[in-house]
Amino acid sequence: MSRVHNFNAGPASLPLSALELARDELVDFEGTGMSILEHSHRGKDYDRVHNEAIGLVRELMGVPSDYHVLFLQGGASQQFAVVPMNLLPPGKSADYVLTGGWSEKAYAEAQLVGRARVAATTGIEENGSTLYRRIPKQGELQLDPEAAYVHMTSNNTLFGTQWHWLPETKAPLVADMSSDIMWKPVDVSKFALIYAGAQKNIGPSGLVLLIARPDVVANGRRDIPKIFRYATHAKENSLYNTPPTFSIYLVRNVLRWVKEHGGLAGMEKRNRDKGALLYGAIDEKPDFFRAPVEKESRSFMNVVFRLPSVELEERFVAEAKKAGLVGLKGHRSTGGIRASTYNAVGLESVQALVSFMREFARKA
Ligand SMILES: *Cc1c(COP(=O)(O)O)cnc(C)c1O
């Protein structure tokens, strides 16, 4: 078996032990004579998996006991629409803080559902596209105290920026944490709602983890299809209809690994060590590697940098791939290099990348 150093932005690297457990149990789950894929979602064997996954989310994130923890389908993009469908009643408006491409998309969907406004944006126009290089300061947020909610994107996967402070808001705070969920401990009680596509930090694509304060669920709109109401899924413990059982099973495996590696405090240490090493390598050669992101806004999940020319960037990506370092090409809208260093990416992968970078810069 050979495994590469995987810097993919999403779907992304998963802990080897989570995959190996899935492989070992694939055709016969815990002596039941069938795969977990073949088990009924109403049976007690799947039920154990389902509740273990939910229990691990609660334990690892310290979710307040009255909050709901839900597994939903359709990816984070579906939540861009379903959040306002539930939380944005007629006559109210929602505040959006724009810090990247995903928050733009969330805002656009909210505008189709109801009234939404931009409370702040750090976007700058350059060559016909909007670029983001920093997270705003509290003083830049023009919040509507009457807003139905304030929406933020905790980590900006494309541009490599990340919030390192929490905004003070009167309105309930909603966060898209798709690309940094569980990267470190957070105070869940500060949020009314958190959602995250699983495919960056905790599992496979298609699955969404959603954590919601009870009043947000209870007061959700009733004039929307039942399948989109959070209350429907909360009432049925995410078993209203057939959930993506195998994806939830894989999340369980990943969260077991997180727990074995020191929980979220362990993840934070791991991620800060990787970040220090990689940003250190970028900063030690500022005339060769250029980090476009403001220092205080740097992401520990997606590290973006440029090389002196597009030709060098292309060569960098191609030669890195030959050396077993994959997924380093920047997003199609930004270009450059992006190394995604999610929880499952080990320090040894970042060490290999940093050695490659130093060698590449020396030879260039
Ligand atoms: C990847 C990503 C999304 C989109 O997730 P899908 O599951 O593809 O819909 C949304 N928000 C952020 C911050 C992301 O990183």
Side-chain angles (χ1 to χ4, degrees):
M1 183 188 69
S2 100
R3 300 261 300 164
V4 295
H5 296 294
N6 183 353
F7 297 99
N8 277 343
S13 177
L14 288 171
L16 182 58
S17 69
L19 298 174
E20 286 175 336
L21 182 59
R23 177 197 61 198
D24 294 346
E25 294 185 332
L26 187 65
V27 297
D28 181 5
F29 175 70
E30 294 182 356
T32 57
M34 63 175 97
S35 173
I36 192 68
L37 283 155
E38 302 167 297
H39 268 279
S40 165
H41 63 295
R42 305 281 174 208
K44 68 176 188 335
D45 293 302
Y46 174 71
D47 211 49
R48 268 204 327 279
V49 170
H50 192 82
N51 288 323
E52 184 185 343
I54 292 170
L56 281 165
V57 171
R58 288 192 177 279
E59 180 187 341
L60 291 166
M61 293 187 74
V63 178
S65 59
D66 58 340
Y67 272 53
H68 299 284
V69 173
L70 305 181
F71 285 122
L72 304 172
Q73 313 189 44
S77 301
Q78 182 159 299
Q79 292 308 310
F80 294 165
V82 177
V83 165
M85 283 166 77
N86 277 272
L87 272 58
L88 182 53
K92 288 281 242 180
S93 165
D95 273 355
Y96 278 74
V97 182
L98 304 189
T99 51
W102 292 116
S103 38
E104 285 177 1
K105 289 202 163 104
Y107 172 58
E109 289 288 70
Q111 285 178 295
L112 291 173
V113 175
R115 230 153 38 86
R117 61 186 277 281
V118 176
T121 176
T122 54
I124 43 174
E125 303 304 320
E126 243 178 63
N127 309 322
S129 51
T130 311
L131 302 180
Y132 295 84
R133 300 202 174 106
R134 63 184 190 88
I135 296 299
K137 306 264 185 294
Q138 178 77 38
E140 292 174 65
L141 308 183
Q142 302 191 340
L143 297 169
D144 168 6
E146 300 293 317
Y149 61 87
V150 179
H151 182 283
M152 63 178 282
T153 311
S154 58
N155 181 74
N156 299 281
T157 327
L158 280 52
F159 293 97
T161 63
Q162 188 174 28
W163 290 75
H164 295 298
W165 59 281
L166 271 188
E168 298 278 336
T169 65
K170 279 213 174 61
L173 186 59
V174 171
D176 173 2
M177 292 195 186
S178 295
S179 53
D180 69 353
I181 185 98
M182 298 201 201
W183 86 280
K184 69 164 193 179
V186 293
D187 184 353
V188 174
S189 72
K190 295 267 195 291
F191 297 88
L193 189 143
I194 291 168
Y195 65 94
Q199 71 270 30
K200 278 71 181 230
N201 247 353
I202 57 169
S205 58
L207 179 67
V208 170
L209 169 63
L210 186 134
I211 301 171
R213 214 167 61 194
D215 61 294
V216 166
V217 172
N219 303 336
R221 285 175 64 172
R222 300 277 151 167
D223 57 344
I224 58 171
K226 197 173 173 193
I227 188 72
F228 295 130
R229 295 179 207 160
Y230 294 138
T232 302
H233 299 282
K235 186 162 163 271
E236 304 290 343
N237 191 30
S238 304
L239 289 161
Y240 167 70
N241 65 331
T242 321
T245 53
F246 193 64
S247 296
I248 293 169
Y249 161 81
L250 271 167
V251 167
R252 180 204 73 161
N253 292 2
V254 172
L255 299 187
R256 278 185 180 178
W257 172 88
V258 171
K259 189 174 171 181
E260 282 158 17
H261 287 77
L264 301 198
M267 292 300 113
E268 177 169 18
K269 162 109 183 40
R270 185 180 164 87
N271 289 323
R272 289 200 185 275
D273 287 349
K274 290 183 291 182
L277 188 60
L278 191 42
Y279 284 116
I282 292 167
D283 292 340
E284 93 195 1
K285 284 217 174 303
D287 47 347
F288 193 76
F289 299 115
R290 190 169 50 78
V293 167
E294 174 195 86
K295 266 196 174 138
E296 307 87 85
S297 302
R298 284 176 168 181
S299 168
F300 283 84
M301 299 283 101
N302 312 97
V303 177
V304 299
F305 55 95
R306 306 294 314 230
L307 268 51
S309 70
V310 173
E311 292 68 40
L312 276 170
E313 288 171 347
E314 281 169 3
R315 227 176 77 206
F316 181 95
V317 171
E319 287 183 19
K321 192 168 177 195
K322 279 193 207 128
L325 304 153
V326 308
L328 290 166
K329 194 169 157 49
H331 189 266
R332 58 185 188 276
S333 66
T334 60
I337 311 292
R338 172 176 55 176
S340 296
T341 54
Y342 299 122
N343 284 355
V345 175
L347 184 65
E348 68 289 349
S349 289
V350 174
Q351 281 164 340
L353 173 58
V354 163
S355 304
F356 175 83
M357 286 165 68
R358 292 196 175 122
E359 185 62 13
F360 189 88
R362 198 183 56 77
K363 284 190 308 195

